Structures are given as C-alpha cells and as structure tokens.
Amino acid sequence: MLSTSHKVLIARALSAVVLSVRYLCGLSAEVVTTRRGLTWSLDLKEGIDLAIYVLGGFELGTLRRYAQLIKPGDVVFDIGANVGAHTLPLAQLVGVTGRVYSFEPTAYAFAKQQANIALNPPLVSRISAHQMMLMADESVSLPESVYSSWPLEGAADLHGKHHGRLMGTHGAVVDTLDSFVLKAGIEHVDFIKLDVDGNENDVLAGAKVVLEDSKPRIMLELAPYVYGSEPHKFDGLLDFLWGAGYKLSDMKTGRLLPQNVAGVRRLIPNAGGLNVLAGDW
C-alpha cells in the first residue's frame, strides 16, 4: 500500500494533466458534473474533488463495501463528512426510509457539502447536515481550525505528511455523540463512518451509550502517524474498540485484523492509513 504522501504526489500529477487539458479547452478548475448517479460541485485543485471527478467517487473500495453493509431504512452517521463524498453515496443506500446524519466542523468543507447536497434534490430529505465537532465532552472549547482541505499544490502551510490545510471552524458547535442522539430522539444507530484525523478517541469517548445500546458497525481509518508525538492515543483507540467488544477487519477484503497493537501497526504503511470495519462478529 502507498503512503499518503505518495498518493498525494500521484494526485498532483493527475491534477496537472486534467487541468492543463481543461485550460486548453477554455474551461476552469470549477465544474458541476454527475458521477455514479450523483451531481457534484467540484474544485479540481482539491484532492477529494479530483478523485470524484476522475474515478467517480472518493475511496471507491470503501464505497463498494458500503453497498454490502448499508440497507434501506438504516440510520447512518458520517462523522468527519467534509464535502459529502461519503454522505451522498450513503444517502443513496439508506433509501427513503433511512437517514444520514453528517458532521463537519469547518466552514469551508461544510459549505461545499451543503452545495453538493442541494444539487441532489431526491436525497435532501434523507440527510441531516450539521456544522458540528463531536468531542468527549460538550463543554470543551472548539479548535479554531481543523484539517479539511487537501489542495493539489505545494504550499508552506500544508501538513508535512498528509499535505492537508487547516481551515477555520467559525460557525461550528461542539457536542458529544451521546448528547446529540438523545436531543435528536434517535432510537438506534446502525452504522458510523468515522474519519477525523486523530480525534477518534474523543468522538468515541462521547459515544459510550450509543456504542453500548446500538452496537453500530464503524468504518474508520487507522493512521498512526496522525497522532504525532502521542502514539499512545492510537494504541488507546484500538484498546477502546476491543474493550467495547469490537473486532476489526480490513474494509476492502473483510480479513480480520490481529487483536494486538503491534500486529495492526505492521499492516499499515509508514505515513499511511488503513480503512477498517469494526463489528461484533
């Protein structure tokens, strides 16, 4: 598997080709297009947007697995929803009787997500979008910025490994998942997609009631490098999931992961990540 840096380098090269062709045709980097039955407003200088434009979706292997896991009527949480790259495909799968709740704290990505939702009128009633950061305690202060942009160009302000850019959280609120579920009157949660770049521990610490009562399957990215100088937080994430009765499998292949930290770490490329499914098989 490739590291995140290698993936970004490939995406930058592809972006340069795509944009060059578009510029020669008098077209800009901004485009509204339809892919896999969904309409998107895309900026082809952004990594997630480019993937949707070129491949038809972001993280196609994970999207294919969703089709096997999500059924009509399911209640799904997309935590770290960004521009809605998974929110909209999930909304297709839950059908008219299901519901997708999306959570994105940055004003930049949330605005793009809202635009993408609006471009797909049949799905609007299935999605409840929130500019919110889910944490361990609803009384904690909201960070001023969170990584939510992955520009396909070099710049001094980008993260050294995943090349993301911090974007402001103005307009967002903080809550816990348990508190949100209680206030929204949600009786059961079937599935959680969790992609929050190192804040997984905080989200799950505020979701203990939901995890115990609903035992939802959880798709999350395991990326030890995002924890930087606090590698114990990655170990703690795994221990928390195992302690809650979850087993982990590779999202693409379904292969069970070893139930020990060292064994899991060996499966993840240096400065890369692995999408896994947590369930109680």
Side-chain angles (χ1 to χ4, degrees), residues 171-206:
V173 296
V174 170
D175 206 348
T176 69
L177 192 148
D178 282 340
S179 173
F180 176 87
V181 166
L182 182 64
K183 288 183 286 190
I186 300 169
E187 296 182 357
H188 185 83
V189 179
D190 298 287
F191 191 90
I192 294 174
K193 170 257 177 178
L194 179 60
D195 187 0
V196 289
D197 299 314
N199 292 315
E200 291 83 3
N201 301 62
D202 287 332
V203 174
L204 294 175

mmCIF file of all heavy atoms in Angstrom, residues 171-206:
data_model
loop_
_atom_site.group_PDB
_atom_site.id
_atom_site.type_symbol
_atom_site.label_atom_id
_atom_site.label_comp_id
_atom_site.label_asym_id
_atom_site.label_seq_id
_atom_site.Cartn_x
_atom_site.Cartn_y
_atom_site.Cartn_z
ATOM 1 N N GLY A 171 -18.580 29.225 13.189
ATOM 2 C CA GLY A 171 -19.954 28.813 12.957
ATOM 3 C C GLY A 171 -20.286 27.426 13.474
ATOM 4 O O GLY A 171 -21.456 27.049 13.531
ATOM 5 N N ALA A 172 -19.261 26.665 13.858
ATOM 6 C CA ALA A 172 -19.489 25.301 14.342
ATOM 7 C C ALA A 172 -19.806 25.288 15.833
ATOM 8 O O ALA A 172 -19.517 26.244 16.558
ATOM 9 C CB ALA A 172 -18.260 24.426 14.072
ATOM 10 N N VAL A 173 -20.395 24.201 16.283
ATOM 11 C CA VAL A 173 -20.664 23.984 17.702
ATOM 12 C C VAL A 173 -20.052 22.650 18.112
ATOM 13 O O VAL A 173 -19.728 21.803 17.271
ATOM 14 C CB VAL A 173 -22.176 23.976 18.010
ATOM 15 C CG1 VAL A 173 -22.779 25.330 17.713
ATOM 16 C CG2 VAL A 173 -22.885 22.885 17.216
ATOM 17 N N VAL A 174 -19.903 22.464 19.411
ATOM 18 C CA VAL A 174 -19.363 21.219 19.972
ATOM 19 C C VAL A 174 -20.482 20.444 20.648
ATOM 20 O O VAL A 174 -21.349 21.017 21.306
ATOM 21 C CB VAL A 174 -18.238 21.519 20.989
ATOM 22 C CG1 VAL A 174 -17.842 20.261 21.754
ATOM 23 C CG2 VAL A 174 -17.022 22.100 20.282
ATOM 24 N N ASP A 175 -20.467 19.131 20.481
ATOM 25 C CA ASP A 175 -21.407 18.265 21.192
ATOM 26 C C ASP A 175 -20.775 16.891 21.317
ATOM 27 O O ASP A 175 -19.738 16.616 20.710
ATOM 28 C CB ASP A 175 -22.741 18.185 20.442
ATOM 29 C CG ASP A 175 -23.921 17.862 21.374
ATOM 30 O OD1 ASP A 175 -23.673 17.475 22.532
ATOM 31 O OD2 ASP A 175 -25.074 17.987 20.940
ATOM 32 N N THR A 176 -21.391 16.029 22.112
ATOM 33 C CA THR A 176 -20.997 14.628 22.132
ATOM 34 C C THR A 176 -22.001 13.846 21.303
ATOM 35 O O THR A 176 -23.147 14.273 21.116
ATOM 36 C CB THR A 176 -20.963 14.050 23.552
ATOM 37 O OG1 THR A 176 -22.305 13.960 24.047
ATOM 38 C CG2 THR A 176 -20.123 14.916 24.476
ATOM 39 N N LEU A 177 -21.581 12.701 20.821
ATOM 40 C CA LEU A 177 -22.494 11.896 20.026
ATOM 41 C C LEU A 177 -23.676 11.438 20.879
ATOM 42 O O LEU A 177 -24.822 11.466 20.430
ATOM 43 C CB LEU A 177 -21.751 10.695 19.433
ATOM 44 C CG LEU A 177 -22.471 9.905 18.345
ATOM 45 C CD1 LEU A 177 -21.472 9.335 17.356
ATOM 46 C CD2 LEU A 177 -23.307 8.786 18.928
ATOM 47 N N ASP A 178 -23.404 11.037 22.113
ATOM 48 C CA ASP A 178 -24.493 10.603 23.004
ATOM 49 C C ASP A 178 -25.507 11.717 23.235
ATOM 50 O O ASP A 178 -26.725 11.493 23.194
ATOM 51 C CB ASP A 178 -23.926 10.152 24.352
ATOM 52 C CG ASP A 178 -23.316 8.752 24.293
ATOM 53 O OD1 ASP A 178 -23.655 8.003 23.366
ATOM 54 O OD2 ASP A 178 -22.508 8.428 25.182
ATOM 55 N N SER A 179 -25.015 12.925 23.467
ATOM 56 C CA SER A 179 -25.900 14.052 23.704
ATOM 57 C C SER A 179 -26.712 14.377 22.451
ATOM 58 O O SER A 179 -27.921 14.627 22.525
ATOM 59 C CB SER A 179 -25.087 15.283 24.131
ATOM 60 O OG SER A 179 -25.895 16.433 24.214
ATOM 61 N N PHE A 180 -26.055 14.358 21.299
ATOM 62 C CA PHE A 180 -26.761 14.652 20.052
ATOM 63 C C PHE A 180 -27.877 13.645 19.807
ATOM 64 O O PHE A 180 -28.999 14.017 19.454
ATOM 65 C CB PHE A 180 -25.783 14.640 18.878
ATOM 66 C CG PHE A 180 -26.456 14.851 17.547
ATOM 67 C CD1 PHE A 180 -26.678 16.131 17.067
ATOM 68 C CD2 PHE A 180 -26.880 13.770 16.788
ATOM 69 C CE1 PHE A 180 -27.320 16.335 15.855
ATOM 70 C CE2 PHE A 180 -27.526 13.957 15.576
ATOM 71 C CZ PHE A 180 -27.751 15.244 15.106
ATOM 72 N N VAL A 181 -27.581 12.369 19.986
ATOM 73 C CA VAL A 181 -28.574 11.319 19.754
ATOM 74 C C VAL A 181 -29.766 11.486 20.692
ATOM 75 O O VAL A 181 -30.926 11.347 20.277
ATOM 76 C CB VAL A 181 -27.927 9.932 19.927
ATOM 77 C CG1 VAL A 181 -28.978 8.835 20.040
ATOM 78 C CG2 VAL A 181 -26.995 9.637 18.759
ATOM 79 N N LEU A 182 -29.482 11.812 21.949
ATOM 80 C CA LEU A 182 -30.556 11.996 22.924
ATOM 81 C C LEU A 182 -31.447 13.177 22.537
ATOM 82 O O LEU A 182 -32.682 13.067 22.529
ATOM 83 C CB LEU A 182 -29.958 12.212 24.313
ATOM 84 C CG LEU A 182 -30.953 12.375 25.464
ATOM 85 C CD1 LEU A 182 -31.766 11.100 25.651
ATOM 86 C CD2 LEU A 182 -30.208 12.726 26.760
ATOM 87 N N LYS A 183 -30.826 14.312 22.195
ATOM 88 C CA LYS A 183 -31.596 15.513 21.849
ATOM 89 C C LYS A 183 -32.369 15.344 20.546
ATOM 90 O O LYS A 183 -33.460 15.898 20.381
ATOM 91 C CB LYS A 183 -30.664 16.716 21.773
ATOM 92 C CG LYS A 183 -30.160 17.182 23.132
ATOM 93 C CD LYS A 183 -29.288 18.415 23.042
ATOM 94 C CE LYS A 183 -27.922 18.106 22.478
ATOM 95 N NZ LYS A 183 -26.985 19.258 22.614
ATOM 96 N N ALA A 184 -31.822 14.552 19.612
ATOM 97 C CA ALA A 184 -32.483 14.351 18.324
ATOM 98 C C ALA A 184 -33.548 13.265 18.383
ATOM 99 O O ALA A 184 -34.293 13.082 17.418
ATOM 100 C CB ALA A 184 -31.438 14.003 17.262
ATOM 101 N N GLY A 185 -33.609 12.543 19.495
ATOM 102 C CA GLY A 185 -34.602 11.486 19.636
ATOM 103 C C GLY A 185 -34.337 10.285 18.748
ATOM 104 O O GLY A 185 -35.271 9.593 18.322
ATOM 105 N N ILE A 186 -33.068 10.020 18.480
ATOM 106 C CA ILE A 186 -32.691 8.887 17.632
ATOM 107 C C ILE A 186 -32.664 7.622 18.490
ATOM 108 O O ILE A 186 -31.963 7.563 19.503
ATOM 109 C CB ILE A 186 -31.315 9.122 16.992
ATOM 110 C CG1 ILE A 186 -31.358 10.384 16.119
ATOM 111 C CG2 ILE A 186 -30.880 7.917 16.164
ATOM 112 C CD1 ILE A 186 -30.003 10.853 15.645
ATOM 113 N N GLU A 187 -33.430 6.632 18.097
ATOM 114 C CA GLU A 187 -33.568 5.424 18.919
ATOM 115 C C GLU A 187 -32.482 4.390 18.656
ATOM 116 O O GLU A 187 -32.160 3.595 19.543
ATOM 117 C CB GLU A 187 -34.941 4.804 18.678
ATOM 118 C CG GLU A 187 -36.104 5.692 19.125
ATOM 119 C CD GLU A 187 -37.447 5.034 18.916
ATOM 120 O OE1 GLU A 187 -37.480 3.904 18.370
ATOM 121 O OE2 GLU A 187 -38.479 5.637 19.288
ATOM 122 N N HIS A 188 -31.939 4.374 17.446
ATOM 123 C CA HIS A 188 -30.940 3.345 17.120
ATOM 124 C C HIS A 188 -30.031 3.857 16.014
ATOM 125 O O HIS A 188 -30.491 4.505 15.080
ATOM 126 C CB HIS A 188 -31.640 2.057 16.660
ATOM 127 C CG HIS A 188 -30.701 0.917 16.429
ATOM 128 N ND1 HIS A 188 -30.249 0.116 17.455
ATOM 129 C CD2 HIS A 188 -30.118 0.443 15.294
ATOM 130 C CE1 HIS A 188 -29.444 -0.813 16.962
ATOM 131 N NE2 HIS A 188 -29.344 -0.628 15.654
ATOM 132 N N VAL A 189 -28.748 3.571 16.124
ATOM 133 C CA VAL A 189 -27.761 3.932 15.107
ATOM 134 C C VAL A 189 -27.208 2.635 14.523
ATOM 135 O O VAL A 189 -26.706 1.777 15.248
ATOM 136 C CB VAL A 189 -26.615 4.776 15.699
ATOM 137 C CG1 VAL A 189 -25.600 5.121 14.610
ATOM 138 C CG2 VAL A 189 -27.164 6.042 16.346
ATOM 139 N N ASP A 190 -27.298 2.494 13.200
ATOM 140 C CA ASP A 190 -26.887 1.248 12.561
ATOM 141 C C ASP A 190 -25.432 1.247 12.108
ATOM 142 O O ASP A 190 -24.773 0.207 12.140
ATOM 143 C CB ASP A 190 -27.777 0.967 11.343
ATOM 144 C CG ASP A 190 -29.229 0.780 11.734
ATOM 145 O OD1 ASP A 190 -29.543 -0.280 12.305
ATOM 146 O OD2 ASP A 190 -30.038 1.706 11.487
ATOM 147 N N PHE A 191 -24.938 2.415 11.684
ATOM 148 C CA PHE A 191 -23.603 2.454 11.083
ATOM 149 C C PHE A 191 -22.983 3.821 11.315
ATOM 150 O O PHE A 191 -23.670 4.853 11.235
ATOM 151 C CB PHE A 191 -23.709 2.176 9.580
ATOM 152 C CG PHE A 191 -22.389 1.938 8.889
ATOM 153 C CD1 PHE A 191 -21.859 0.667 8.795
ATOM 154 C CD2 PHE A 191 -21.690 2.990 8.328
ATOM 155 C CE1 PHE A 191 -20.638 0.447 8.161
ATOM 156 C CE2 PHE A 191 -20.466 2.787 7.693
ATOM 157 C CZ PHE A 191 -19.954 1.501 7.597
ATOM 158 N N ILE A 192 -21.659 3.828 11.585
ATOM 159 C CA ILE A 192 -20.919 5.078 11.751
ATOM 160 C C ILE A 192 -19.706 5.058 10.832
ATOM 161 O O ILE A 192 -18.923 4.097 10.843
ATOM 162 C CB ILE A 192 -20.440 5.271 13.206
ATOM 163 C CG1 ILE A 192 -21.635 5.447 14.146
ATOM 164 C CG2 ILE A 192 -19.511 6.472 13.312
ATOM 165 C CD1 ILE A 192 -21.250 5.494 15.618
ATOM 166 N N LYS A 193 -19.563 6.090 10.029
ATOM 167 C CA LYS A 193 -18.322 6.310 9.281
ATOM 168 C C LYS A 193 -17.552 7.396 10.036
ATOM 169 O O LYS A 193 -18.064 8.484 10.267
ATOM 170 C CB LYS A 193 -18.614 6.729 7.848
ATOM 171 C CG LYS A 193 -17.373 7.208 7.069
ATOM 172 C CD LYS A 193 -17.391 8.715 6.982
ATOM 173 C CE LYS A 193 -16.166 9.285 6.304
ATOM 174 N NZ LYS A 193 -16.221 10.768 6.198
ATOM 175 N N LEU A 194 -16.344 7.086 10.453
ATOM 176 C CA LEU A 194 -15.577 7.968 11.336
ATOM 177 C C LEU A 194 -14.228 8.268 10.701
ATOM 178 O O LEU A 194 -13.378 7.381 10.580
ATOM 179 C CB LEU A 194 -15.397 7.289 12.704
ATOM 180 C CG LEU A 194 -14.606 8.020 13.782
ATOM 181 C CD1 LEU A 194 -15.264 9.348 14.124
ATOM 182 C CD2 LEU A 194 -14.484 7.150 15.029
ATOM 183 N N ASP A 195 -14.027 9.505 10.287
ATOM 184 C CA ASP A 195 -12.763 9.918 9.661
ATOM 185 C C ASP A 195 -12.427 11.306 10.165
ATOM 186 O O ASP A 195 -12.814 12.316 9.567
ATOM 187 C CB ASP A 195 -12.909 9.899 8.135
ATOM 188 C CG ASP A 195 -11.583 10.154 7.427
ATOM 189 O OD1 ASP A 195 -10.564 10.338 8.113
ATOM 190 O OD2 ASP A 195 -11.582 10.179 6.179
ATOM 191 N N VAL A 196 -11.701 11.367 11.293
ATOM 192 C CA VAL A 196 -11.483 12.647 11.963
ATOM 193 C C VAL A 196 -10.017 12.905 12.279
ATOM 194 O O VAL A 196 -9.685 13.689 13.165
ATOM 195 C CB VAL A 196 -12.343 12.741 13.248
ATOM 196 C CG1 VAL A 196 -13.812 12.881 12.896
ATOM 197 C CG2 VAL A 196 -12.138 11.531 14.157
ATOM 198 N N ASP A 197 -9.118 12.228 11.563
ATOM 199 C CA ASP A 197 -7.686 12.555 11.578
ATOM 200 C C ASP A 197 -7.080 12.697 12.976
ATOM 201 O O ASP A 197 -6.499 13.725 13.325
ATOM 202 C CB ASP A 197 -7.436 13.841 10.786
ATOM 203 C CG ASP A 197 -7.846 13.711 9.332
ATOM 204 O OD1 ASP A 197 -7.501 12.696 8.716
ATOM 205 O OD2 ASP A 197 -8.542 14.611 8.829
ATOM 206 N N GLY A 198 -7.238 11.663 13.791
ATOM 207 C CA GLY A 198 -6.600 11.648 15.098
ATOM 208 C C GLY A 198 -7.499 12.019 16.254
ATOM 209 O O GLY A 198 -7.081 11.927 17.417
ATOM 210 N N ASN A 199 -8.728 12.427 15.970
ATOM 211 C CA ASN A 199 -9.664 12.777 17.042
ATOM 212 C C ASN A 199 -10.658 11.666 17.343
ATOM 213 O O ASN A 199 -11.665 11.887 18.016
ATOM 214 C CB ASN A 199 -10.432 14.060 16.668
ATOM 215 C CG ASN A 199 -9.528 15.283 16.640
ATOM 216 O OD1 ASN A 199 -8.710 15.491 17.531
ATOM 217 N ND2 ASN A 199 -9.662 16.072 15.597
ATOM 218 N N GLU A 200 -10.363 10.454 16.854
ATOM 219 C CA GLU A 200 -11.285 9.332 17.041
ATOM 220 C C GLU A 200 -11.541 9.040 18.516
ATOM 221 O O GLU A 200 -12.680 8.733 18.898
ATOM 222 C CB GLU A 200 -10.727 8.070 16.356
ATOM 223 C CG GLU A 200 -10.701 8.129 14.853
ATOM 224 C CD GLU A 200 -9.483 8.854 14.303
ATOM 225 O OE1 GLU A 200 -8.610 9.270 15.109
ATOM 226 O OE2 GLU A 200 -9.396 9.003 13.073
ATOM 227 N N ASN A 201 -10.501 9.129 19.326
ATOM 228 C CA ASN A 201 -10.665 8.830 20.749
ATOM 229 C C ASN A 201 -11.692 9.741 21.403
ATOM 230 O O ASN A 201 -12.528 9.290 22.194
ATOM 231 C CB ASN A 201 -9.321 8.972 21.482
ATOM 232 C CG ASN A 201 -8.257 8.053 20.937
ATOM 233 O OD1 ASN A 201 -7.881 8.153 19.772
ATOM 234 N ND2 ASN A 201 -7.745 7.157 21.752
ATOM 235 N N ASP A 202 -11.644 11.027 21.053
ATOM 236 C CA ASP A 202 -12.578 11.985 21.635
ATOM 237 C C ASP A 202 -14.008 11.694 21.197
ATOM 238 O O ASP A 202 -14.947 11.751 22.004
ATOM 239 C CB ASP A 202 -12.201 13.409 21.223
ATOM 240 C CG ASP A 202 -10.955 13.906 21.944
ATOM 241 O OD1 ASP A 202 -10.701 13.434 23.063
ATOM 242 O OD2 ASP A 202 -10.258 14.766 21.400
ATOM 243 N N VAL A 203 -14.185 11.391 19.919
ATOM 244 C CA VAL A 203 -15.536 11.102 19.423
ATOM 245 C C VAL A 203 -16.113 9.879 20.125
ATOM 246 O O VAL A 203 -17.254 9.893 20.606
ATOM 247 C CB VAL A 203 -15.522 10.873 17.899
ATOM 248 C CG1 VAL A 203 -16.902 10.435 17.415
ATOM 249 C CG2 VAL A 203 -15.093 12.139 17.170
ATOM 250 N N LEU A 204 -15.332 8.821 20.211
ATOM 251 C CA LEU A 204 -15.823 7.577 20.795
ATOM 252 C C LEU A 204 -16.019 7.695 22.304
ATOM 253 O O LEU A 204 -16.928 7.067 22.868
ATOM 254 C CB LEU A 204 -14.863 6.435 20.471
ATOM 255 C CG LEU A 204 -14.774 6.074 18.980
ATOM 256 C CD1 LEU A 204 -13.711 5.003 18.752
ATOM 257 C CD2 LEU A 204 -16.124 5.615 18.447
ATOM 258 N N ALA A 205 -15.190 8.507 22.964
ATOM 259 C CA ALA A 205 -15.372 8.706 24.401
ATOM 260 C C ALA A 205 -16.704 9.368 24.706
ATOM 261 O O ALA A 205 -17.268 9.175 25.787
ATOM 262 C CB ALA A 205 -14.222 9.554 24.959
ATOM 263 N N GLY A 206 -17.223 10.142 23.740
ATOM 264 C CA GLY A 206 -18.520 10.783 23.922
ATOM 265 C C GLY A 206 -19.661 9.984 23.327
ATOM 266 O O GLY A 206 -20.776 10.506 23.177
#
